[in-house]
Amino acid sequence: MTPMSVPAEPELARVVASFETPGAVLASTAEQFQAQIAKGLAGGGSLKMLQTFTQQPSGRERGQIVVVDWGGTNARAGLVELGGGSVRIVVEETLVFSEAQKRGAPEPVFDLIAGAVGKVAAAQHVGRAPLAFVYSYPARLERIDRAVALALTKGWRLEGLVGQDVGGLLRAALGRAGLARIELAAVANDTVAALILLSYQARSRDAAARPADVGLILGTGTNLAADLGPAGIRNLESGNFDGVGAVDTPYDVALDREMADPMPGAQRFEKMVSGHYLGEILRRALRDLGARTAWFQWSASPAMASPFAFDSAYLSRIARDRTPALDDSAALLRSLGIESTREEREGVRALGAAIARRAARLVAAALVGTLRFVDPELAGRRTIAVDGSLWGGYPGFDALVGQALAELAGREKAARIETAFVKDSTSAGAAVIAAVAAAQRSQ
Ligand code: BGC
């Protein structure tokens, strides 16, 4: 048989099925995740369980805080006003980084960020003000304002950054820009910002309200933060969880092996779950099917030719296409230089749905593992603050996670787990973290 002669339909069905995560496998993934939390707290395993040096807010925090949010292709500088419950983003400046900048020296990146802070300060006549720095990459905090960079994620690799204090680098860049009066008050991860913002909102309405238990980001990258009681609020860096061997496909294995950043073996969970990777997994599956069957002869399209050229946002758009013949998907593919048949479009859609569903189920397993670590019987009410473009953008992602939570925890216990979408939580949450830090210092 020549490779091209493999019948397309059953082969497609086989590949779609390879993304399935049976209940029993998912349950053991949740168990492994829970066990890795304990291991991570003891200093081993794939979960870093990083300290955050932040505490739950009272809900009464106030003040004007300059915020830097750096965690993807874009960064933002802004000014946030906290009114003891309310949050107002007064102004925001967005920066976009080029691929070259993502691989260069750290200082130019920090100078660009400081420049954006300068614009915000000038526009709003900010003199002296505290600054909250959201650094959404792995970092080992030694104090609330000292964060030592670990290996970067999401396609970044800045020369010589690992081991340096990113808070200090930002402070130095602010100094170079003549902005020394804007003082770094806190460095935080985006997951922690989401968690803290939800707690702030709840407690400003009712001072006795239970704070949020977990912060989850599902965007370009993925990660969890959790309030572990005596162990404090921890940044799990769950993207690095490596207990995924039972649910990976040859595409995942090849993607992991062939990428330099993050290095092979690192961020295995993130590489199967987050927005930076889902389109790439789909591209690899389509190329493989194109090489072995008569369908998907699309290798001439730039979107198929190079890694990461098939954007994860396309998965969301195809999933949203409600036309019987998938006309919008046809238009999207045509804009990428691809002519498709209806069967092929249905195939792309089935593949994309299977990849997204697996991501949602893995996220549910990580959540159940985390919540069981805190509350083994899942007896209490739990709240998860969620933000990110994949959760917000992929149709029905929350329902997929909800179904898997019910499968893992049982309907009754799953009903006590609430996921709250806190859109655009990063800057607002970071401002609350800085205000909490200021209150702690003055005590
Ligand atoms: C980073 C985390 C971050 C997550 C979501 C991951 O790649 O390692 O620190 O929280 O992305 O932005």
Side-chain angles (χ1 to χ4, degrees), residues 223 304 439:
N223 188 13
M304 285 292 133

Side-chain angles (χ1 to χ4, degrees), residues 309-340:
F310 198 89
D311 203 309
S312 295
Y314 303 154
L315 256 83
S316 301
R317 179 161 158 196
I318 293 168
R320 238 181 275 122
D321 188 352
R322 291 271 162 260
T323 61
L326 300 180
D327 298 330
D328 183 51
S329 307
L332 166 69
L333 291 168
R334 194 165 303 126
S335 75
L336 303 172
I338 294 171
E339 286 305 325
S340 58

Side-chain angles (χ1 to χ4, degrees), residues 246-374:
V247 286
D248 63 7
T249 65
Y251 310 114
D252 301 296
V253 173
L255 185 158
D256 175 49
R257 213 177 26 225
E258 291 163 19
M259 266 178 54
D261 301 304
M263 65 188 224
Q267 300 296 108
R268 286 302 316 276
F269 184 82
E270 177 163 272
K271 286 172 184 165
M272 293 165 70
V273 161
S274 81
H276 190 56
Y277 300 97
L278 298 191
E280 174 59 9
I281 300 170
L282 177 58
R283 187 192 70 90
R284 284 170 180 266
L286 288 171
R287 276 177 65 98
D288 172 48
L289 285 163
R292 294 184 301 110
T293 75
W295 288 12
F296 311 115
Q297 298 307 306
W298 300 345
S299 56
S301 158
M304 285 292 133
S306 43
F308 296 96
F310 198 89
D311 203 309
S312 295
Y314 303 154
L315 256 83
S316 301
R317 179 161 158 196
I318 293 168
R320 238 181 275 122
D321 188 352
R322 291 271 162 260
T323 61
L326 300 180
D327 298 330
D328 183 51
S329 307
L332 166 69
L333 291 168
R334 194 165 303 126
S335 75
L336 303 172
I338 294 171
E339 286 305 325
S340 58
T341 65
R342 179 171 171 171
E343 285 74 24
E344 287 173 322
R345 291 195 291 281
E346 278 165 359
V348 176
R349 184 166 148 117
L351 274 170
I355 293 167
R357 187 176 141 85
R358 183 185 66 170
R361 291 171 68 79
L362 285 172
V363 166
L367 288 173
V368 167
T370 306
L371 294 177
R372 281 217 181 104
F373 180 85
V374 178

